Amino acid sequence: MAGGSAELVEHTVARLQGKTALVTGAASGIGLAIAARFATEGAQVVFTDITGDACTRACHEHGGALALELDVALDEAWGDAIPQVMDRFGKLDVLVNNAGIALLGDVETLSVADFDRTMAVDLRGVFLGCKYAVQAMKPARQGSIINMSSISGIRAQAELVAYNAAKAGVALMTKSVALHCGQQGYGIRCNSIHPGLIRTPILDKLLAQSEDPDALLAGFIATHPIGHMGEPADVAALAVYLASDEARFVTGSAMSVDGGAAM
Ligand SMILES: NC(=O)c1ccc[n+]([C@@H]2O[C@H](COP(=O)([O-])OP(=O)(O)OC[C@H]3O[C@@H](n4cnc5c(N)ncnc54)[C@H](O)[C@@H]3O)[C@@H](O)[C@H]2O)c1
């Protein structure tokens, strides 16, 4: 019995106590679940999103420490946000590059403008986040960068040509950043998360672009051996692990949380 209660105590200790974390796209879906879970795990969480009002509301409702409007595709927006975090908290321990968009279209139907927009948010946004986070974290010789890729960064779908390209890019860029930080001795870890189908507003927006949303959704779910979609909390649980010191030996990894979809 004594062993059992010791175990219980261990599991109730906040796993991110004392850490400062910034989450992009924190007003909705997976980003919101990660930011809220980080706060319950004791982190000082900076909620950021392109939608300022929704982000401020989410921050207040879920125990955040600071809300900032941040369009991840803009270099100057990062240049504005990161100094505010450093001024306020003196450090950045964790960055979650979560913000993303998914625009439906195959190689014939997707417009060049939609391709460019996908790249700007889903790939350039992650690059900028990594660039600014490495600068902020390296003096402390520690930090964890978590990049949100997707099952779509591993397996192709005809109707997601730009999203596939961006998310696959995130996977290898993550390894490049991890390698660089290792070579430089910065102590900064960088890993990617690859969720399968998760029930969030991005999915509704994607389905709304289809002529047959029911068939598209059924087709997506059919590729998940577990037989159903996941929830944002499933992804947040993995993000807590990667953000925490429990993952101190984990860098350059591509971790799936996908009901077996990558098999
Ligand atoms: N839902 C899924 O099935 C699924 C699966 C795999 C990966 N993902 C990835 O997870 C991440 C989160 O997606 P979600 O499902 O929670 O979607 P969501 O639409 O619920 O949330 C995305 C958030 O990102 C914000 N955002 C969009 N463009 C932005 C920009 N330029 N700058 C800052 N914020 C911006 C939105 O305002 C929104 O709050 C994305 O990177 C997505 O590609 C989602």
Side-chain angles (χ1 to χ4, degrees), residues 99-192:
I101 57 170
L103 301 176
L104 202 64
D106 59 43
V107 66
E108 295 190 86
T109 58
L110 191 78
S111 69
V112 175
D114 282 355
F115 180 86
D116 288 347
R117 183 66 194 149
T118 306
M119 290 299 151
V121 179
D122 292 359
L123 191 56
R124 185 174 196 262
V126 175
F127 167 70
L128 288 169
C130 290
K131 195 171 188 58
Y132 278 88
V134 167
Q135 283 304 313
M137 290 171 173
K138 69 180 185 182
R141 302 255 149 211
Q142 59 93 37
S144 171
I145 301 172
I146 301 168
N147 294 332
M148 199 58 65
S149 179
S150 170
I151 178 68
S152 301
I154 298 172
R155 241 187 31 209
Q157 293 110 322
E159 65 282 357
L160 286 174
V161 62
Y163 190 71
N164 281 154
K167 292 299 186 181
V170 167
L172 210 57
M173 184 162 62
T174 297
K175 293 182 191 296
S176 175
V177 172
L179 202 52
H180 173 75
C181 290
Q183 286 169 352
Q184 299 300 316
Y186 290 160
I188 301 169
R189 299 181 292 105
C190 185
N191 295 286
S192 59

Side-chain angles (χ1 to χ4, degrees), residues 28 30 49 70-72 98 149 163 167 196 198 200-202 205:
S28 167
I30 294 171
D49 203 284
L70 170 61
D71 179 343
V72 296
N98 163 79
S149 179
Y163 190 71
K167 292 299 186 181
I198 308 290
T200 73
I202 208 174
K205 287 177 219 156

